[in-house]
Amino acid sequence: MKVPFIDIKRFEDGFLDEWYAKVSSLSSSASFIGGNEVSQLEMSLCQFLDVENTVTCSNGTDALQIALRASGVEREDLVLIPDVTFWATFEAVINVGAKPICIDVDESSGGVDEEVFYEAAKKFKPKAAILAHLYGWGTPNLKKIRSFCEAENIILIEDGAQCFGVNYQNQAIYKDALISTTSFYPAKVLGAAGDGGAIFTNNEDLADKARKLSNHGRDEHYGHGYVGWNSRLDTLQAAFLNISMKYINNRIGSRRQTANKYKKFLANLNIQHITPHPDFEENGYANLCIIKDEGTKSKIQVGFQDLGIGFGNIYPGAMSDQKGAKADLASYCGTGKSKIFCKSVFNLPLFPYMNDEEINYILRSLEGLID
Ligand SMILES: *Cc1c(COP(=O)(O)O)cnc(C)c1O
């Protein structure tokens, strides 16, 4: 038996037929940019996530860059970011001309270490900060971090590429963010048939500026109020996402079920398994195990390879340790916890519609590989 780390081909019955029919009708009318599919998607995302404005764009990295630019982050501005995140969080800051300061990880959640974050904010007085809500939940004490940033005049951007469908204190995590983003990369919780992304905000001015930036800074067709770029979500991607939205609750439900099975089983195994703080209802994006003993980790990974079971290391290196970070890193704040975290991280397969046979095979195999 083989179980991949992720399988995004398990479409619901009828899904592909509906998609092919859409491709056919949109193609024959040459409806490729904007239109109803895009506006319908933005409306249903506002409803699903309980936010006032959704601005779709080309990908999750652009979404971060648009959020930074829309909120006024400029050349030489300092921006706090997590030292454990996907590289795009780092890149976005550099690409708008600003300078990132990496904040150590909180090993119990995978989010930023709150105290280090507050200290860095007081010391550096950054223009903005980005939190990345990784693994399918959010950074603990989110309310407090949001109020702190508001009081200190720090623009808080929330990179929600991995938290689509996560609830925080019983409401969508994006709901009370000043400005947040997501990615529709195919392997994300809501994945497109290619690249896509979105910005969410309850602030009309931010939404208006984000929308203009993502479409050549346009005020009118040939009137340009800003220098933006082309970061539109195309119609076919929007159409695929609209069909996917019909099934999103099922997909998230299935992910949660698997996450819960893992959680129950792993509680009795001698392996450190990180689960969300009780304020969060997770979306089952990525299972998170921490295996500090290198020998044990390697034994499990080699064993999994032999048994045909996929696994992940999300992420194997901290941002401040990347070769590409050297020239632009303004500072690193912490005690090196992020390095240890990244070396120890191990993720079990997790995707919608995994069956019990697969889950049991993974867990029995894991049990057999641990002393
Ligand atoms: C996937 C991801 C991104 C980037 O999204 P793309 O659509 O691939 O550009 C940014 N941040 C995090 C945390 C992600 O997981």
Side-chain angles (χ1 to χ4, degrees):
M1 179 171 197
K2 278 193 176 199
V3 191
F5 178 56
I6 178 162
D7 180 2
I8 54 170
K9 301 183 300 298
R10 298 196 185 179
F11 297 110
E12 295 81 5
D13 286 346
F15 181 99
L16 285 176
D17 290 334
E18 195 174 349
W19 166 236
Y20 298 149
K22 254 308 171 210
V23 171
S24 168
S25 69
L26 291 170
S27 301
S28 53
S29 61
S31 311
F32 297 133
I33 301 288
N36 279 344
E37 292 290 346
V38 174
S39 44
Q40 189 197 317
L41 175 66
E42 293 185 347
M43 248 165 42
S44 56
L45 290 172
C46 283
Q47 258 171 22
F48 188 76
L49 303 171
D50 215 355
V51 291
E52 299 290 327
N53 301 281
T54 297
V55 177
T56 51
C57 65
S58 296
N59 55 68
T61 312
D62 273 13
L64 285 169
Q65 287 169 203
I66 291 165
L68 284 160
R69 287 274 311 276
S71 44
V73 175
E74 292 175 357
R75 224 166 270 268
E76 303 300 312
D77 282 339
L78 295 174
V79 182
L80 305 186
I81 66 160
D83 202 27
V84 173
T85 179
F86 178 55
W87 182 238
T89 322
F90 191 100
E91 282 177 318
V93 174
I94 307 293
N95 286 342
V96 305
K99 295 182 162 172
I101 296 171
C102 290
I103 306 295
D104 214 353
V105 76
D106 163 17
E107 294 157 298
S108 68
S109 70
V112 289
D113 181 313
E114 206 187 329
E115 293 312 317
V116 176
F117 181 91
Y118 296 144
E119 269 171 42
K122 294 209 161 117
K123 180 173 169 195
F124 292 101
K125 307 240 167 291
K127 175 84 171 260
I130 303 180
L131 291 180
H133 302 308
L134 303 181
Y135 308 112
W137 53 83
T139 312
N141 250 338
L142 185 51
K143 242 186 197 155
K144 191 170 155 208
I145 299 177
R146 283 172 178 165
S147 336
F148 171 89
C149 288
E150 200 184 336
E152 300 286 321
N153 254 320
I154 299 167
I155 297 154
L156 184 64
I157 296 168
E158 299 181 34
D159 179 347
Q162 300 186 13
C163 68
F164 193 92
V166 170
N167 290 318
Y168 175 54
Q169 296 180 344
N170 301 313
Q171 58 185 35
I173 186 169
Y174 305 93
K175 182 173 191 258
D176 289 332
L178 172 65
I179 188 162
S180 58
T181 63
T182 201
S183 160
F184 303 129
Y185 177 74
K188 298 284 155 89
V189 170
L190 177 63
D195 282 309
I199 300 108
F200 310 113
T201 178
N202 298 324
N203 179 303
E204 298 299 325
D205 294 333
L206 287 175
D208 180 63
K209 191 162 178 197
R211 190 170 296 286
K212 287 173 176 166
L213 286 171
S214 68
N215 190 15
H216 299 298
R218 273 191 169 114
D219 294 322
E220 44 196 306
H221 194 68
Y222 290 123
H224 307 276
Y226 303 105
V227 172
W229 67 102
N230 173 3
S231 184
R232 296 179 298 245
L233 181 75
D234 70 67
T235 311
L236 284 164
Q237 295 308 332
F240 186 92
L241 291 166
N242 280 325
I243 304 171
S244 304
M245 279 300 286
K246 297 186 191 178
Y247 301 99
I248 194 68
N249 284 323
N250 275 345
R251 292 185 190 177
I252 294 171
S254 166
R255 284 175 174 278
R256 281 184 184 143
Q257 263 180 12
T258 302
N260 283 333
K261 283 175 191 160
Y262 280 165
K263 189 170 160 181
K264 270 198 198 128
F265 192 92
L266 293 174
N268 302 317
L269 269 198
N270 187 20
I271 190 166
Q272 192 188 348
H273 183 232
I274 297 183
T275 58
H277 181 278
D279 277 346
F280 296 96
E281 185 185 14
E282 76 169 300
N283 63 8
Y285 181 70
N287 164 272
L288 177 54
C289 298
I290 297 291
I291 307 172
K292 287 204 176 126
D293 182 72
E294 278 178 45
T296 307
K297 188 176 173 214
S298 151
K299 190 173 161 199
I300 292 170
Q301 295 191 165
V302 170
F304 268 32
Q305 266 158 0
D306 290 344
L307 293 162
I309 303 172
F311 61 86
N313 300 116
I314 305 173
Y315 292 97
M319 295 302 95
S320 57
D321 282 337
Q322 302 303 310
K323 203 168 96 200
K326 297 287 175 280
D328 296 299
L329 183 67
S331 192
Y332 160 80
C333 302
T335 53
K337 283 187 295 179
S338 45
K339 284 179 203 285
I340 300 168
F341 183 92
C342 287
K343 267 201 196 135
S344 327
V345 78
F346 175 77
N347 315 85
L348 295 172
L350 224 177
F351 50 88
Y353 312 127
M354 287 179 75
N355 60 47
D356 280 342
E357 203 190 342
E358 290 170 322
I359 297 168
N360 293 336
Y361 178 60
I362 293 164
L363 292 174
R364 265 187 277 106
S365 304
L366 184 62
E367 193 175 29
L369 289 162
I370 298 176
D371 300 320

